[in-house]
Structure formats: C-alpha cells, structure tokens
Amino acid sequence: MSFFSLSFAAPWALLVLAGAPLLYYLLRVTPPPPQRVAFPPLRLILDLKKPDATPARTPLWLLILRMTLAALVVLAMAGPVLTPRGAPATKGGPLLLLVDDGWPAASDWTLRLQAAEARLETASRDGRPAAVLAFSDPPAEGVAPEDAEAAVNRLRALKPKAFLPARAPALAAIENFLKSHPEAQVVWVTDGLDEADGAAFAARFAALAPDAEILRDPRPVVAIAGADNNASALDVHLVRSASGGVASGHVRAYDAKGASLGEAAFDFGQNPTGMALTAKAAFDLPVQLRNEIARLEIAGVRSAGSVHLLDAGSRRRRVGLVGGAAREQPLLSPLHYLRDALSPFADLREAKPGVVDPIGALLDEGVDVLILADVNAAAPALRARLDSFLASGGTILRFAGPRLAAASDDDLFPTRLRRGGRTLGGAMSWEKPKPLAPFDEASPFFGLIPPAEATVSRQVLAEPEEGLPARTWARLADGTPLVTADKRGPGTLILVHVSADANWSSLPLSGLFVDMLKRIVDRAGLVAKAGPSGAETLAFLPPLKSLDGFGALGDPPPSAKSLPAKGVSAPDPDHPAGFYGPAAGPRALNAFNSAMKLAPLDFSGLKLRTAEIAGPRPVDVRPPLLIAAFLLALADSLAMIWLGGRWRRQVEPRHTAAKDAGAKQTGTAVAALALLLLAAAWPPPARAETHSKRDIEAALNTSLAYVVTGDPRVDRISREGLASLSKTLGQRTSFTPGEPQGVDPAHDELAFYPLIYWPVAPDRPQPGPEAARRIEAYMKQGGLVLFDTRDAAMQFEGGPSTPAQSWLRTFLKDVDLPPLEPAPGDHVIYRTFYILEDFAGRSENGPTLIEALPPESAKEARPARAGDGVSPIIIASNDLAAGWAADQFGEPLYPLSPDGARQHEMALRGGVNIVMYTLTGNYKADQVHVHELLERIGR
C-alpha cells in the first residue's frame, strides 16, 4: 500500500541517468592518482611492500560510492517532490473545488488556500481541468471547467466575506456540473459550521457526490455574540462552535478613532454550565469611557465574527428621575417602578435630598433623558430650562398622575389635554379596565406584544385635534391614545397618559413596561446624538463603513445597498456587516449576534471522506539529496587522500611542504564542493533592511517629525510645539498622530514622516551634503519640509539677510527646489481646515514662502488656488513651534506677541491647516469651486 507519490519539477533532468553506463566505464578505467615516493637508494626501493602498490583500476567500493553520488546529484536536479497520497481518486475527470468563503473561514484562510491549491496543483500535474465555486457568489449560469492554472488564480482572488453565505443556491450549479462531467473529482473546503441550511445541503451534496472529499479545520470557531452595557461593567458575550482549541484570551475595546480603551480577559474553561461553549469578558470602566467604545475584537483572531460593532443603541444613557410627591413610600412610589425597570440598561441619576431645584441639578449633570413622574412643570424658570434641554437634543418623558391632571397652567405636553368635566379633574374612569391595542408599524414600540394582563383603568385624555394620530405611539383597544410624543427641535417630548405606579394601570407591573422604557431610552440616545437627520428618522440607511471577512473596517464595497431601517438583523450579500446611516448616528450591523447559532456541521451520517486542511504537505526532497551527495563527496575526497598515501607518516620531512600543499588543495576542493551543494539546497534568503524600533513604530502610527539641531532649547521648543499640535489634531480632526520624533536628516530614515519641521539655528554648523541629498530625495518622494527661520522680528523690507536666512540659503544651494513665492491669500493651504489669512507663531507678521502657483486668468478666478500637488517646501519665519507649544492646561508656554492666548489658538489653527494640506493635498481647491467644475462638465 502506497502512502506517498513522487513527482519531479524537472523530469527531463532524469535523462542524464541514461549516461550511467558511460560514467561507470570512465570511473572504472580511471585509477586513483599514483602514490608519490621520493627517490631513495635501490635497497630501500626493493624493501617496499607490495600491499602499498597503487591499484591499476578504481576499487569497486569507490566505484559504487561515485555512482551513487552522481545519481543523487541528478535526482536533485530533477526537483523531486514527495506528495502524501490521500484516498486514491477513482475518477479521472475535472476537479470541482467548492469553497466556504464566509467569515468563519477567515481565521485560517491561508491554510484553506494552501490545501485547495495542493488539490489544484495535483490536477494540473495530471493534465486535468478544474473549476472553483465560492458559495458567496454562485454563478447563475453554472460553472465550467478551465485550465488548472486559471483556477488557481481564481482561487487566490477569493476573500472571506463578512456574512454567512447560503449554500443551497449553489446546488443547481453543482448538479449541472456533475451531470456534464460524471467522472469529476469534487473537493469541498468547508468552514465546518451548520449554518442556516448546512444539514440539508450536506445531505443533498452527499447524494450528488458520494465520493467527494471534505477538507475542514477541527479547531472551533470563536465569535462575539453581543455586549451588554450594564450598570457596573460592559459585559461581552463570546461563543464557540465546539470545545477544544484556545480556551482563553482577551477582548480589546477601541473608540471610533481606533484608540485603545482597554482589554478584558475571557476563559471558556471557567463556564459554570460545564459546556465550555460560552464565555464572558467584562470591561470595568467608567460609564463615560464605556459609552465611547465603538468596536470590540478578540485579540489574535482575524474574522468579522470576532469583531463586534457598537452604535448609539449600545451606549448606557444617563437618565434623571424626578417625582412629584413630597414624601415617597419606597415600595409604592412611581420612582420605585421606574428604578426597577430602568436600572438594567440605564445610568440612573436622582437629585440629592434637600436640593431646592432637583430638575436643574439633574440637567446640570448632563442627563440624556429626564423622566418627570407626576410633576407640574408650569413654573416659568423651570419651563425655560426644560425648553433649553429639548433644544439641545434631550428627551423628556412625562408620566401622568393626580398632580398633572389637576394642573391647569402646565402645557408642556405633546398634545392638548382635555380639561374639566371628568373625574379627578380630567381623568377618566372606566368600570372595566381597557387592554392595549397592537402597536402600529410607525411606532417605536412596533414588534412588542402587549400582554393581556396589561390594562388601564384611569388616564388623562388627549384633546382630539389634527395630527394626533401621527403623534400617538400607543393606544388602547378602543383607540384612546396612551402614549403621545412630539418633536421639539432636535429633542423629543413624550407623555405617558397613565401614572408610573400601579394606581391607574397594571402596565408598570408587566414586562412590557420595561421594554417600552428601553425603546424610549435607546431612541432618545440616538436622537440626542444624531439630531433630526439621525438613523431613526430614515427609512433606508446608506452604507457608511463595512467589515471585510477578516474584520477590518473600511469603505463599503460597490455592491453594498442601503439597509432598511426595520426588518434586517443579519448581514447578507447586499448588506455586509458594518455601519449604516449618517456618520453622526450610524447603526451597527454585526456579522454575528445572539440570535444566530454557531454549531458544527455533523458529517457522521454521511459517507464522505474528511481530511484536515492542515494535513501533510508536499515535501521537497532536494535538500536531503544534496546533503547526502555532499557527504558522499566528502567521503570520496577522504578516500582519495587515503589511497594516495597522504596519511603515511614514513615520508621524509623534506616532503612535508609538498604534502601540505596537496592536502590544502584537496581541502579547498572539498570546501568549494560543500558550499556549492549547500547553496543549491538552500537559496540565499531575501535581503531585508533593518530598521530601528522607532522607525517601525513610526511606520505603524503616523507621526510628525522635527530636525534635531543640537541646540537643546530649540529642540525642546520643537518637541513641545509638535506635541501640542499633535494633541490638537487628535481632538479636532480624524487624524490622531503619534508622539513627535526627532530626526537627523543625514542618517535617519525620513520616509516614515509626512511632515518634517526644521527650525533654523544659525549658530549651528551646516549638516553636510549628505543631509541635503536626503532632504531633496524626501521632498521629491512626496514629503514636506517646513523650514522656520524664527526671525520675523529681524526681517525688514529691503534690509540685509538675517543670519538664519543666510544659513538656510547656504544649505539649500545644492538642493533642487521649485520656484518659491510668498503664499498668496487665496492659496488652498489657507482653506484646508480653517479659513486663515496667515500662519501665526510667536510672532505673526513674518512672510511665508511656498511653491509658486501657475498664473490664473481673471475669468477663471477661484476662491482657492492650488498647484498640481503638495508643495514640497514651506519656509516660515514666525517661530511656529513656540506658538503651538502649550502646557497641560492648554495655555501657551511662551510669550506671544501681540495677542497672547488668541494668537496661540490661531497658531494651532495654522498648524492644523499645514498638516491637513500635507495629508490631503489640493482637494480643497476643488471643493470650494465645485460649481465651476460642474459647469465645465456640463459644457
């Protein structure tokens, strides 16, 4: 029984073995070199013993050694590959390769490609065509075999998707292929999961291709099922498809800009249920930090399922509670029911006892939702604070009660209330409690099912008026409004027409009460973040950012479609996992959630051959063959030394030099042969440049740089200024640079830094021609050097050159520079982020030089102008770094003339503009005259 198959990369080389008889003859008739003996007297010659005579032919054992050596070299030249043989293919037709390319396959995607390529290479060697079918995109017209090399290219182009592809749509293509090619070999590279149609597909597939081979990874798939922002921590729930594999690890949390906020450990082995299929990681962070988390991911696992995106709906809202009763009975007050219902998903705030203005105190704490339980809001000062809260995007949720029903001067309601003529001053009573009607599709409560035991016996009535149905979120079975709401600017005003305790209805005693409050609080957070154009107000949410199968967040693919605001909870080919909706308040669609299952696909009842994707790989036999040939060559050399009498000690001393020379020649030949064989066995590794740890960090995290001049004071100001500017960029823009780095232009690698700040220190020596050459190469490769002469106070129109100007002119004399001009007021660099007139620093009256722009005709005048690219050089004179530098409180570190704090702010704005110009180029020039561009396109 054979377990391996031997193939050759260059089988033509085996033809050399046909000359083995000739080689045998040559080796046989060629004796070893004769023994060299110094001429002695005749008596000594006669005394020589016959066993030391030189043989006339090559000894048989040496002949066999040399023949074996030659055969090993020939075999090595043929490129033998030892391929482990699996179950023998009984069919010699084309190969059909099926690939699961959903996110569960991403974590070991390289292994899957290698296993699939090994099958395709086997088909290529056998001269058989092949076809590749990915389940994420089954061809409607079917699949046809093609050249195996083309199939390999098609396989390498596949990437895992951020959803779970359905397998059933591919059955028709598989069946048609097998009907056209009944002798086909079928291989299924599966992720091993029983997804929506996994079991049914496997049964049908086994019936179509009973001889198919299944390649799978026995290691379990790990994913994040969800996250709960509880009162004390953010709990992350993890699941895996089976026991085994890595049982513990860490979950990392990142904010919207990608900054790390912390990590939490998980361990499947510590699950009390004993199933070891679920685990939990808890982030014990302040609620403000937890609300900043936008992405969770499992460290060391690359798949969309190991990433969980969080939107505004996952943030824990701060909810303020105010009750109208002067003294509350702890277990009977409306606030007791509200606390119990809200505590699992909201951060509750209540004013301290004795506070004169509890509503004002809560508003000062920055609550997102303010709940007023039977509170009269008629006071003018209070009404002004509440109106301001609504105008800032807040949500006010009011509950009725005896005080509210009796308050005739309170009109802060979504709709007019009926006053007088009813019991309890406008409250209406029924002999039989009324149940709730099903929620309308337009209601935020749509999808919740009102229980039969939730009934209402008393409520305040809404006055019938135009628009009341549109403002009604919930109603009773007879159509009476129960919950009404109205938009007040970016905020929302909501009224529940019953009390928050059990006196007027049994609603607070039901689970529906908790679900309704959660919907209100979740929606309130979205409205507060997104305003009127938030995701909740759109019927369809356009794709904003999408995950790929490996869990990387980027631009959505061209095939991504808008997500319906309701009804889609799982990603699909048209709606990949990611963020949808406006950037101010997007909605997250995750690749995996708690409603999905992560179970292994059971092949035990199917007669299909299974193998591991990480099984034995083909082995290149050339290295061991060449090593064996080297050892035989070494043995041959030693045999020649022995047969030639090199080791004899009876030779006279005067011949020692000749013997040593011969030994050296033999040793040199052996060493050369050894080096040749080892070089053939192992090709020299690719040369790689080594970089310092600082360079590696700069390549991974973009940073600004400054030239170290050697003047401690100047270098300190540069470092402080760039550190303050980097902090400002992280706060005001989407660019978060790393710590600024000091560089030596003559020795350090400059390509890692988009902008280099060079403060001119005229008392320091010139850096030399190598620095000038490297600076010139850096500018030509797209970098920008910001020279700062720091001598604005010394420059006078028509006056002599300052020392800094002379120093800079000497350095740049051998640098190939573009023509420079004072930066015109309409240059795009003054419009990239802020609209500015100049670049302030410690002073603000110095000129700024930049690459000269091409002339522009008057009829094509534009609000901002730019050249074909980014200017490689800017020469400033206002000591910009000193203007940027700030202490920990944001105050300027150095005196600024003439305008102190305001000048520091303008200096930072100028620095932001320069960095944005460096990173984005002249796009702003197009943005500010888009109208003219559209007119040109129209013409």
Side-chain angles (χ1 to χ4, degrees):
M1 182 177 179
S2 176
F3 294 95
F4 298 92
S5 62
L6 186 63
S7 59
F8 296 91
W12 53 266
L14 297 176
L15 296 176
V16 180
L17 293 178
L22 178 61
L23 179 64
Y24 171 81
Y25 176 77
L26 293 176
L27 292 176
R28 183 173 179 270
V29 300
T30 304
Q35 179 179 344
R36 309 182 89 186
V37 178
F39 180 75
L42 182 59
R43 184 174 56 82
L44 295 179
I45 296 176
L46 296 176
D47 288 340
L48 290 176
K49 297 180 180 181
K50 291 183 178 180
D52 293 334
T54 301
R57 296 183 182 276
T58 303
L60 179 61
W61 62 269
L62 185 59
L63 183 63
I64 296 175
L65 184 147
R66 290 177 174 176
M67 291 291 292
T68 306
L69 170 61
L72 290 177
V73 173
V74 172
L75 288 175
M77 291 173 60
V81 177
L82 197 62
T83 305
R85 186 184 297 276
T90 59
K91 301 178 180 181
L95 170 65
L96 176 60
L97 187 65
L98 308 177
V99 181
D100 275 334
D101 56 343
W103 63 260
S107 59
D108 50 12
W109 186 250
T110 302
L111 289 177
R112 295 176 183 276
L113 289 185
Q114 291 175 353
E117 285 186 20
R119 269 60 180 180
L120 290 173
E121 290 172 0
T122 301
S124 178
R125 286 194 298 267
D126 296 341
R128 295 183 292 136
V132 177
L133 189 153
F135 287 107
S136 65
D137 188 20
E141 66 280 1
V143 59
E146 57 186 346
D147 180 75
E149 294 297 330
V152 170
N153 295 332
R154 187 181 300 274
L155 174 70
R156 292 174 179 172
L158 294 179
K159 300 295 181 183
K161 308 301 188 296
F163 57 89
L164 297 176
R167 301 187 180 105
L171 279 172
I174 297 173
E175 186 173 2
N176 292 334
F177 186 90
L178 294 177
K179 286 181 180 179
S180 302
H181 307 88
E183 297 297 321
Q185 176 193 2
V186 183
V187 178
W188 177 14
V189 185
T190 178
D191 57 24
L193 290 184
D194 185 3
E195 292 149 10
D197 54 355
F201 172 83
R204 178 60 179 158
F205 175 74
L208 291 174
D211 297 327
E213 182 184 13
I214 307 297
L215 298 180
R216 60 177 179 174
D217 189 350
R219 294 174 298 180
V221 177
V222 185
I224 298 179
D228 295 328
N229 203 346
N230 297 319
S232 58
L234 176 69
D235 292 333
V236 183
H237 305 284
L238 298 95
V239 297
R240 60 178 176 175
S241 58
S243 58
V246 179
S248 60
H250 291 82
V251 177
R252 293 172 180 167
Y254 300 90
D255 64 8
K257 292 187 176 181
S260 177
L261 297 180
E263 66 177 24
F266 67 88
D267 190 346
F268 284 99
Q270 296 183 358
N271 193 302
T273 63
M275 296 180 62
L277 297 181
T278 61
K280 185 177 76 171
F283 287 89
D284 187 10
L285 299 172
V287 65
Q288 292 84 354
L289 279 181
R290 282 186 273 142
N291 286 343
E292 293 297 322
I293 296 177
R295 188 174 86 253
L296 300 166
E297 63 180 42
I298 304 174
V301 181
R302 295 181 63 230
S303 74
S306 67
V307 175
H308 191 78
L309 304 176
L310 301 178
D311 54 22
S314 302
R315 296 169 186 159
R316 193 171 180 87
R317 294 357 182 246
R318 285 176 290 183
V319 178
L321 300 178
V322 179
R327 292 184 178 181
E328 297 182 349
Q329 299 183 17
L331 300 181
L332 300 178
S333 70
L335 296 186
H336 168 72
Y337 292 92
L338 292 171
R339 293 189 197 102
D340 286 351
L342 293 166
S343 58
F345 52 85
D347 183 23
L348 301 182
R349 305 292 178 90
E350 296 185 51
K352 296 180 180 180
V355 174
V356 177
D357 183 12
I359 295 178
L362 292 177
L363 295 179
D364 291 339
E365 290 187 27
V367 296
D368 301 308
V369 182
L370 180 64
I371 300 182
L372 305 178
D374 195 19
V375 175
N376 187 349
L382 175 60
R383 178 61 181 272
R385 288 295 305 272
L386 294 177
D387 288 340
S388 177
F389 177 64
L390 290 171
S392 64
T395 296
I396 297 177
L397 174 60
R398 304 193 66 180
F399 282 86
R403 295 168 185 78
L404 186 145
S408 59
D409 52 350
D410 186 357
D411 61 352
L412 187 61
F413 304 116
T415 184
R416 292 188 300 113
L417 299 181
R418 183 173 298 178
R419 303 290 185 180
R422 298 292 181 183
T423 307
L424 297 176
M428 180 178 179
S429 299
W430 291 281
E431 295 180 357
K432 183 179 180 181
K434 300 292 183 182
L436 276 67
F439 298 112
D440 298 335
E441 186 175 354
S443 170
F445 308 135
F446 179 72
L448 301 178
I449 301 177
E453 63 272 14
T455 58
V456 174
S457 58
R458 182 174 299 170
Q459 72 168 129
V460 293
L461 290 175
E463 188 72 34
E465 60 180 346
E466 184 180 1
L468 179 60
R471 295 195 296 270
T472 301
W473 286 3
R475 53 174 53 88
L476 300 181
D478 61 357
T480 305
L482 177 65
V483 180
T484 55
D486 188 29
K487 294 286 295 179
R488 299 292 175 92
T492 306
L493 177 62
I494 308 169
L495 173 65
V496 181
H497 292 239
V498 296
S499 63
D501 55 19
N503 290 332
W504 285 21
S505 73
S506 60
L507 180 62
L509 303 176
S510 67
L512 178 64
F513 186 67
V514 178
D515 294 335
M516 292 173 67
L517 287 176
K518 189 175 189 306
R519 293 280 183 97
I520 292 175
V521 171
D522 289 347
R523 187 182 185 278
L526 288 171
V527 171
K529 294 291 181 184
S533 61
E536 285 295 309
T537 65
L538 302 176
F540 289 91
L541 310 177
L544 180 64
K545 293 288 183 180
S546 294
L547 288 174
D548 62 14
F550 295 108
L553 193 65
D555 294 332
S559 60
K561 298 180 180 179
S562 295
L563 181 73
K566 298 180 180 179
V568 176
S569 59
D572 54 45
D574 293 332
H575 310 101
F579 285 115
Y580 290 80
R587 176 180 297 177
L589 181 65
N590 286 293
F592 186 79
N593 56 54
S594 58
M596 303 178 184
K597 66 176 182 177
L598 203 63
L601 187 58
D602 186 11
F603 293 100
S604 59
L606 306 176
K607 297 181 180 179
L608 297 172
R609 298 192 307 271
T610 60
E612 296 184 6
I613 60 172
R617 292 284 182 264
V619 179
D620 189 354
V621 191
R622 285 178 299 176
L625 289 178
L626 291 173
I627 291 175
F630 164 70
L631 295 176
L632 290 180
L634 182 61
D636 180 83
S637 300
L638 295 176
M640 294 301 296
I641 294 174
W642 177 68
L643 292 175
R646 299 287 184 184
W647 289 343
R648 295 172 61 94
R649 301 301 184 187
Q650 294 85 1
V651 183
E652 296 180 5
R654 64 190 180 89
H655 299 295
T656 302
K659 293 179 180 180
D660 291 343
K664 290 181 179 179
Q665 293 176 359
T666 304
T668 302
V670 172
L673 179 61
L675 292 176
L676 178 62
L677 293 174
L678 290 177
W682 287 283
R687 298 180 59 187
E689 297 183 6
T690 57
H691 297 287
S692 65
K693 181 179 179 182
R694 186 189 68 171
D695 288 345
I696 295 175
E697 292 178 353
L700 297 176
N701 188 13
T702 305
S703 304
L704 306 180
Y706 63 93
V707 172
V708 177
T709 63
D711 186 323
R713 180 175 178 276
V714 174
D715 295 340
R716 185 184 70 252
I717 294 175
S718 299
R719 183 174 59 255
E720 293 169 345
L722 287 182
S724 177
L725 178 59
S726 298
K727 181 179 179 181
T728 302
L729 287 165
Q731 293 172 343
R732 304 184 186 183
T733 73
S734 60
F735 173 47
T736 304
E739 290 295 323
Q741 302 293 330
V743 297
D744 179 359
H747 301 93
D748 292 334
E749 178 58 62
L750 307 179
F752 300 118
Y753 309 100
L755 182 145
I756 298 177
Y757 175 74
W758 192 327
V760 176
D763 56 342
R764 303 300 301 171
Q766 290 284 336
E770 178 63 19
R773 185 188 64 80
R774 292 168 64 90
I775 283 293
E776 178 180 341
Y778 169 77
M779 292 192 294
K780 289 184 176 180
Q781 293 168 1
L784 189 150
V785 183
L786 174 58
F787 291 99
D788 192 350
T789 58
R790 307 179 301 116
D791 58 356
M794 303 171 60
Q795 295 184 21
F796 299 97
E797 185 176 359
S801 297
T802 65
Q805 289 175 329
S806 300
W807 188 98
L808 183 58
R809 187 179 295 110
T810 300
F811 174 73
L812 295 177
K813 66 180 181 179
D814 295 326
V815 178
D816 184 13
L817 294 177
L820 302 178
E821 68 175 356
D826 60 349
H827 197 285
V828 69
I829 198 171
Y830 292 129
R831 306 289 189 272
T832 53
F833 199 85
Y834 294 102
I835 299 177
L836 303 175
E837 296 181 356
D838 52 26
F839 294 132
R842 180 173 288 189
S843 56
E844 61 177 9
N845 60 346
T848 299
L849 300 180
I850 198 168
E851 180 181 0
L853 297 177
E856 187 175 40
S857 61
K859 67 177 182 179
E860 294 184 353
R862 301 173 180 176
R865 291 194 298 143
D868 293 334
V870 176
S871 173
I873 182 173
I874 298 176
I875 301 177
S877 57
N878 283 330
D879 197 357
L880 302 182
W884 297 334
D887 59 18
Q888 58 181 338
F889 304 106
E891 298 297 326
L893 281 176
Y894 302 99
L896 308 181
S897 174
D899 199 6
R902 181 184 180 279
Q903 187 168 327
H904 171 64
E905 170 63 23
M906 298 307 294
L908 288 175
R909 293 186 181 187
V912 171
N913 270 30
I914 293 174
V915 175
M916 290 295 103
Y917 172 72
T918 304
L919 298 178
T920 63
N922 58 11
Y923 90 100
K924 205 72 170 185
D926 294 333
Q927 293 293 316
V928 297
H929 56 79
V930 64
H931 179 69
E932 288 81 359
L933 288 177
L934 291 177
E935 286 187 354
R936 285 187 180 182
I937 295 173
R939 294 197 297 267

